[in-house]
Amino acid sequence: MVGLENWQIATPEMILAAGAMVLLMIGAFRGERSADLVAWLSMALLVGAAAAVIWGQTGTAFNGLFLNTPFTMAMKALSLLGSALAILMSGSFMRREGAWRFEFPVIIVLATLGMMIMLSSADLMTLYVGLEMQSLALYVVAAFQRDSARSTEAGVKYFVLGAVASCMMLYGASLVYGFAGTTNFAAIAKVFAVGAPSVGAVIGLVFILAGLVFKVSAVPFHMWTPDVYEGAPTPVTALFSVAPKIAALGLLVAIVMGPFRPLMAQSQQILIMVSVASMAWGAFAAIRQENIKRLMAYSSIGNMGYALLGLAAGTEEGIRSVVIYMIIYLAMSVGTFACILSMRRGGIAVERIADLAGLWRNHPRMALALLFFMFSMAGIPPLAGFFGKLNVFLAAINAGLYWASALGVAASVVGAYYYLRIIKVMFLDDPVAPFDKVETSMGSVMAVMAVFVFPVFLVFQSPFLSSAQAAAHAFFVR
């Protein structure tokens, strides 16, 4: 049948789409008592889709609308893992807050489906459909704790600002279509490869990049991040910090290195400015934060700046550094949020950094895990975060981005202050009332992520480096 050739490469997306419908039916017939069952089935669905991605095939399908490359497959696997871990960490928190419903994991599955369509888009229309599918689902989960004014406010802010970003992207896409005469990525690349690019096409590229920069919460479109991170339910914040960002960053890489590669000179200038501004703002703005969720928001802005520096290099080494950085960022971020979700006294969640005072004496294993995550985020060797930043800076230096790399190193030094401040509070301040007992699921996530950060990544780097190399090489095959 015309248009359905090679449809098998979209098997993971079909698994999620069909599975989400089945889960909705289970929830609808069994009611709220099915929330736990639906959550476990959702995680199984995401893991199954990840397996289908890992053992899937590359190629195009649906008349060139859908594309699978080693790079898209790597970013899909990371997004699926991030979403599954977010659901795993959600149950106990949402149950205590009275917001545990079967719709919650199903919406996350649908958001993940949108992320995967985004990553596999080979056409501006496919990109927009995937992006909106992801965004609409994330607006809902941000406001899922509907009895909380903070959660509702976070959802509304995210919706309004996200709608503006979507409009900018759609406007940019319409300009590109107007000047290129096509929405297909391969055809756009051929049009822009011939002669000097028109001003209109460059303006279209700027608007598309602006929309994607919003999704990764990089400066200057970062303004939603601290408020949404603080207001949204903490498991949702954990989700926002990994899966959507990995998907949006993967799409950004695919756009810049794919259809708009002939405009790399123009893209590089924008990416360098966004990267440097994000690293600097993430470092300085977090210094005065007292709420750990807001601090993690600024930390994520800085981390996206480091990842974008690798993309700005525009080389195979640079793309490889982005993939490595996102693997490590996933482990660090998920582990940190497992610690934040365990910050409860008398069943009530606390979020101030001061609440961590004396944690080493009350919960030594949790303090040790958080120590690893903070040292890793600060980029202190031999933890995984050091190698993530090292790869990015080496790629940028080898591409001639000397001043941007120097500013990145300086921002990393400034950023180390607030990570070390948390460690000082945990280990040197007088202890306050201890937290509730850490739940088994949270303790397991903390332990696995901490062991990955150190020493697993240090000892077993080769498989991750090889996978990242294969993913990056996909853009440079002639």
Side-chain angles (χ1 to χ4, degrees):
M1 187 179 291
V2 176
L4 290 180
E5 297 84 1
N6 211 17
W7 60 269
Q8 296 90 337
I9 68 169
T11 300
E13 286 78 4
M14 293 179 186
I15 289 174
L16 288 189
M21 296 302 106
V22 172
L23 293 177
L24 274 179
M25 295 299 290
I26 292 173
F29 282 105
R30 296 192 54 163
E32 294 306 326
R33 61 195 171 89
S34 65
D36 286 340
L37 174 65
V38 171
W40 284 109
L41 290 175
S42 299
M43 283 186 280
L45 202 58
L46 292 167
V47 171
V53 167
I54 292 169
W55 284 288
Q57 296 177 340
T58 58
T60 58
F62 307 121
N63 279 333
L65 294 171
F66 191 91
L67 173 70
N68 248 4
T69 68
F71 177 80
T72 61
M73 292 164 75
M75 302 307 273
K76 280 182 185 180
L78 289 177
S79 299
L80 286 161
L81 178 61
S83 296
L85 288 170
I87 294 175
L88 176 65
M89 296 192 296
S90 299
S92 57
F93 181 95
M94 300 299 275
R95 201 176 293 112
R96 284 198 196 93
E97 301 296 327
W100 186 229
R101 304 182 189 91
F102 75 87
E103 295 94 337
F104 183 79
V106 178
I107 294 172
I108 292 180
V109 170
L110 292 172
T112 311
L113 175 59
M115 294 172 206
M116 295 177 70
I117 294 173
M118 277 168 53
L119 285 166
S120 274
S121 56
D123 190 283
L124 288 171
M125 294 300 100
T126 315
L127 182 158
Y128 194 73
V129 169
L131 185 75
E132 285 305 293
M133 185 171 188
Q134 174 215 249
S135 300
L136 290 171
L138 294 181
Y139 299 148
V140 175
V141 290
F144 202 80
Q145 206 173 340
R146 57 193 179 199
D147 295 331
S148 164
R150 284 202 318 170
S151 176
T152 306
E153 182 184 350
V156 171
K157 279 183 179 175
Y158 192 37
F159 170 71
V160 172
L161 295 173
V164 173
S166 293
C167 290
M168 286 194 296
M169 178 174 286
L170 197 56
Y171 182 61
S174 66
L175 279 175
V176 169
Y177 173 67
F179 284 91
T182 178
T183 56
N184 182 269
F185 285 178
I188 290 173
K190 286 180 183 174
V191 171
F192 288 157
V194 179
S198 62
V199 175
V202 174
I203 294 174
L205 169 65
V206 171
F207 273 100
I208 290 176
L209 289 182
L212 290 176
V213 164
F214 174 90
K215 297 300 178 185
V216 299
S217 68
V219 176
F221 301 104
H222 63 287
M223 69 294 288
W224 61 274
T225 317
D227 291 341
V228 173
Y229 267 48
E230 183 181 9
T234 306
V236 176
T237 311
L239 172 71
F240 282 0
S241 72
V242 285
K245 289 202 172 184
I246 292 170
L249 190 66
L251 178 59
L252 191 52
V253 172
I255 286 282
V256 171
M257 300 304 296
F260 296 104
R261 197 163 174 186
L263 308 182
M264 189 63 203
Q266 290 81 1
S267 304
Q268 192 177 43
Q269 296 175 38
I270 298 169
L271 291 170
I272 291 172
M273 296 307 298
V274 169
S275 168
V276 170
S278 299
M279 290 186 290
W281 185 251
F284 285 99
I287 289 176
R288 295 177 61 84
Q289 301 304 317
E290 296 299 330
N291 183 294
I292 195 165
K293 287 170 68 177
R294 288 186 74 86
L295 185 143
M296 287 302 296
Y298 286 107
S299 170
S300 76
I301 293 170
N303 276 302
M304 290 302 109
Y306 296 118
L308 288 173
L309 186 60
L311 173 58
T315 61
E316 190 169 334
E317 184 185 13
I319 305 304
R320 187 190 71 155
S321 71
V322 173
V323 179
I324 294 170
Y325 198 89
M326 296 317 294
I327 293 171
I328 296 169
Y329 174 74
L330 171 71
M332 295 188 302
S333 192
V334 168
T336 304
F337 273 99
C339 296
I340 295 173
L341 281 162
S342 300
M343 292 172 58
R344 309 188 73 91
R345 288 198 181 97
I348 299 173
V350 292
E351 299 174 355
R352 293 182 309 140
I353 293 172
D355 292 315
L356 291 165
L359 185 69
W360 170 245
R361 300 183 199 178
N362 298 323
H363 295 274
R365 283 181 289 187
M366 178 178 167
L368 195 61
L370 197 50
L371 172 82
F372 282 2
F373 300 136
M374 294 298 104
F375 271 159
S376 185
M377 285 196 176
I380 293 174
L383 284 93
F386 166 76
F387 296 101
K389 288 184 179 177
L390 180 66
N391 277 287
V392 166
F393 290 142
L394 286 178
I397 290 168
N398 290 335
L401 307 180
Y402 302 115
W403 69 270
S405 304
L407 288 174
V409 172
S412 185
V413 172
V414 174
Y417 166 78
Y418 57 81
Y419 295 124
L420 295 177
R421 180 163 68 100
I422 292 177
I423 296 171
K424 175 257 179 188
V425 170
M426 288 192 301
F427 285 84
L428 300 181
D429 285 7
D430 293 331
V432 292
F435 294 141
D436 298 345
K437 184 181 176 183
V438 176
E439 294 174 358
T440 305
S441 59
M442 293 299 165
S444 303
V445 173
M446 275 182 223
V448 171
M449 296 303 158
V451 170
F452 177 83
V453 167
F454 182 79
V456 167
F457 188 82
L458 175 65
V459 179
F460 302 104
Q461 286 192 23
S462 296
F464 301 104
L465 298 181
S466 302
S467 302
Q469 181 65 42
H473 187 65
F475 293 109
F476 297 87
V477 176
R478 299 293 180 187

